[in-house]
Amino acid sequence: MAGLPLARRMPFERPRGTNDYGPEEMARRRAVETLLRETAHRFGFREISTPTIEHLDLFTAKSGPGIVEELYNFKDKGGRDVALRPEFTASVVRFYVSELRNLPKPVKVYSVGNVFRYEEPQKGRYREFAQFNAEIIGAPALQGDAEVIALAIECLRSVGVKDVAVRIGHIGMLRAFLKLPPEEQGKVLHWLDKRNLPALHDELKRLGLEALEAPLREYVELKGGPDVLDKGASILEGVGREGFDYLRALAARLQAYGIGNVTFDLGVVRGLDYYTGMVFEVDSPNLGAEKQVMGGGAYTLAELLGGEPVSQTGFAFGLDRIVLAAEAEGVKLPTPRLDCYVVPIGKAFQARGLEVLIALRGAGVSADIDLLGRGPSRNLDYANTLKARFAVLVGESETKKGVVAVKNLDSGMQEEMRIEELIVHASVRTH
Ligand code: AMP
């Protein structure tokens, strides 16, 4: 301590836009993650994992201006340019092109992990945050798109979030309307995505496309039932109807999945450069400003990363936003509780208390014991703050009878039982 400059004697603060999660919050996050994993498995998706750091150019080449501005990148000790991943798709497709393409098609995979973006932090918007990401590679577009959207909705339902709104658009139509080479489209789409109209104006002017500004601004406001598809087609003159007919077919296929409440939203643009087809976003209206809980779409990336052309669709959720959405709807997440807290009554019963503890743990019952030698009432307070289900009192009279006193901390009821009985009793978990 003596050698540290004065400023360092202040407590350390975590970097802006990052989070610490305490035990209660972490339990809720894990509960959500577990439900998401189970849902993905139920839909036939398998887990993969890719590195947190990648070569910088994996992202700078293909992800689009929005992502590049927000990258956490640096030179490693060998002088290589690397970046913390800002999203999963580029890594998944890199992995697909180098190895996963040898798997039978379609390849259905998911990943969970932290991603990093240098954004302006606010509630629900962080610089390091966990995402759940799922992708289908190598399925026909309609089938793959519908399956991915169905998984996205089911993920929310499985967590208990019911108030969800799905908005579907088609970025391919916008790209066709712009009639620009893909590398020139990025900024226009980015500013449209952010609804930054002055920047959109400047970019269109730079490209000599001022005439497109009015139709584009009108187009991205179109939202509603099938009639918006007709309006969209009439605004994007000369682009044809293919994408709009596709969205109609997709909505019909989603109906067969039991997903009927789809809104067509031609203003879903998505910031990433590689989206080329259907794009979608799901909102939890209870969340206020950062109400978008997930987004995704169909993209073309494998060939840009050196692979064969193949159709791909994916989506990503922010785990924090899903937890916030669940909390906003009052969902009670199934978080694990400590089954038993063992309280030896006095020093003489420490050894017997440890015997009980070890028997419980050995039988798969979660159990903890007083380590501080506190008195019974302070111990019961502690057990209550831990939200333990049972306090197991080990004292003289119980030990003589070969039993323990088991206090149900929810009901306050107390009864004596043998350890074998306690094991059976505590193994029945109703939450
Ligand atoms: P994106 O990869 O930008 O499509 O984002 C996918 C999802 O990740 C969003 O719908 C949000 O749920 C979540 N998300 C995006 N940015 C952030 C952030 N800065 N902090 C927390 N969650 C985020």
Side-chain angles (χ1 to χ4, degrees):
M1 209 51 189
L4 285 176
L6 197 59
R8 271 291 168 248
R9 293 190 193 160
M10 309 284 283
F12 280 99
E13 281 179 16
R14 58 172 193 254
R16 205 162 121 71
T18 62
N19 287 293
D20 295 315
Y21 298 105
E24 304 262 329
E25 216 169 342
M26 211 49 219
R28 284 199 293 276
R29 290 168 64 79
R30 279 285 176 248
V32 165
E33 199 182 315
T34 303
L35 290 164
L36 297 178
R37 280 176 201 282
E38 282 168 8
T39 306
H41 280 277
R42 198 147 47 82
F43 272 60
F45 285 72
R46 296 187 293 166
E47 185 171 11
I48 58 167
S49 173
T50 55
T52 318
I53 47 173
E54 294 274 6
H55 291 298
L56 175 62
D57 52 9
L58 178 69
F59 304 116
T60 51
K62 310 295 169 210
S63 293
I67 287 285
V68 171
E69 276 164 23
E70 295 172 352
L71 276 177
Y72 273 89
N73 58 302
F74 53 97
K75 282 202 189 294
D76 71 8
K77 290 192 180 357
R80 296 171 207 90
D81 284 306
V82 290
L84 298 179
R85 64 181 171 209
E87 49 110 17
F88 278 94
T89 303
S91 302
V92 173
V93 177
R94 175 193 53 68
F95 188 22
Y96 171 82
V97 169
S98 65
E99 285 177 53
L100 298 179
R101 73 188 150 81
N102 298 319
L103 296 178
K105 307 277 180 316
V107 175
K108 297 171 71 176
V109 289
Y110 76 91
S111 297
V112 190
N114 285 7
V115 299
F116 304 82
R117 296 181 191 174
Y118 198 80
E119 295 199 76
E120 209 33 59
Q122 51 180 282
K123 187 174 160 68
R125 178 174 293 280
Y126 312 114
R127 290 183 172 168
E128 177 181 14
F129 59 98
Q131 273 195 343
F132 173 93
N133 181 87
E135 314 273 349
I136 297 188
I137 309 179
L142 185 66
Q143 287 81 342
D145 287 357
E147 177 81 352
V148 162
I149 295 174
L151 172 65
I153 303 294
E154 188 58 26
C155 280
L156 281 163
R157 285 189 185 151
S158 71
V159 172
V161 179
K162 295 193 191 74
D163 192 4
V164 289
V166 192
R167 295 177 286 111
I168 303 185
H170 198 297
I171 205 162
M173 295 288 97
L174 267 177
R175 289 189 186 284
F177 184 59
L178 290 178
K179 295 186 196 72
L180 286 170
E183 60 280 8
E184 293 274 20
Q185 296 173 357
K187 280 234 160 87
V188 177
L189 295 175
H190 177 62
W191 297 131
L192 268 178
D193 183 27
K194 299 277 178 212
R195 299 293 192 276
N196 184 334
L197 300 179
L200 175 71
H201 174 83
D202 292 347
E203 182 61 11
L204 287 172
K205 197 164 166 202
R206 189 183 74 78
L207 295 164
L209 295 176
E210 290 103 320
L212 299 191
E213 184 177 343
L216 281 176
R217 285 177 58 167
E218 192 185 348
Y219 181 82
V220 295
E221 295 308 320
L222 291 175
K223 199 195 271 197
D227 56 318
V228 308
L229 300 177
D230 298 325
K231 281 196 201 130
S234 69
I235 294 175
L236 300 194
E237 261 179 56
V239 166
R241 296 203 47 97
E242 199 191 325
F244 301 110
D245 293 341
Y246 178 80
L247 289 183
R248 236 182 261 271
L250 181 60
R253 193 168 171 96
L254 286 171
Q255 191 93 43
Y257 276 90
I259 300 167
N261 53 346
V262 170
T263 301
F264 296 109
D265 180 353
L266 302 183
V268 180
V269 180
R270 315 288 308 140
L272 300 179
D273 245 5
Y274 45 71
Y275 285 110
T276 45
M278 175 283 298
V279 279
F280 75 103
E281 289 176 348
V282 183
D283 301 330
S284 164
N286 299 309
L287 285 187
E290 296 303 317
K291 65 183 174 13
Q292 193 212 106
V293 279
M294 64 171 86
Y299 55 90
T300 314
L301 193 52
E303 55 266 56
L304 299 179
L305 300 184
E308 300 286 313
V310 62
S311 67
Q312 306 152 36
T313 311
F315 73 85
F317 275 59
L319 220 59
D320 300 278
R321 296 231 184 124
I322 268 225
V323 174
L324 289 172
E327 283 167 0
E329 283 196 30
V331 172
K332 204 172 168 320
L333 292 163
T335 51
R337 289 174 68 183
L338 181 72
D339 293 318
C340 295
Y341 184 77
V342 180
V343 182
I345 315 285
K347 272 211 178 94
F349 293 92
Q350 294 278 349
R352 172 69 184 149
L354 278 175
E355 244 176 64
V356 172
L357 177 82
I358 288 162
L360 290 169
R361 287 180 177 169
V365 173
S366 63
D368 199 357
I369 192 167
D370 172 40
L371 298 178
L372 299 185
R374 283 192 274 232
S377 84
R378 304 268 303 276
N379 259 320
L380 284 179
D381 289 347
Y382 183 69
N384 273 315
T385 55
L386 289 182
K387 297 206 174 77
R389 297 168 60 218
F390 302 105
V392 181
L393 308 166
V394 183
E396 188 173 1
S397 71
E398 293 87 10
T399 304
K400 271 192 190 141
K401 285 191 256 176
V403 295
V404 288
V406 178
K407 186 177 166 84
N408 181 321
L409 293 176
D410 293 330
S411 67
M413 301 268 287
Q414 187 164 319
E415 54 184 320
E416 292 185 342
M417 57 184 87
R418 287 183 295 111
I419 293 185
E420 305 79 65
E421 290 169 320
L422 171 57
I423 287 170
V424 175
H425 195 58
S427 300
V428 180
R429 297 182 185 92
T430 50
H431 53 84

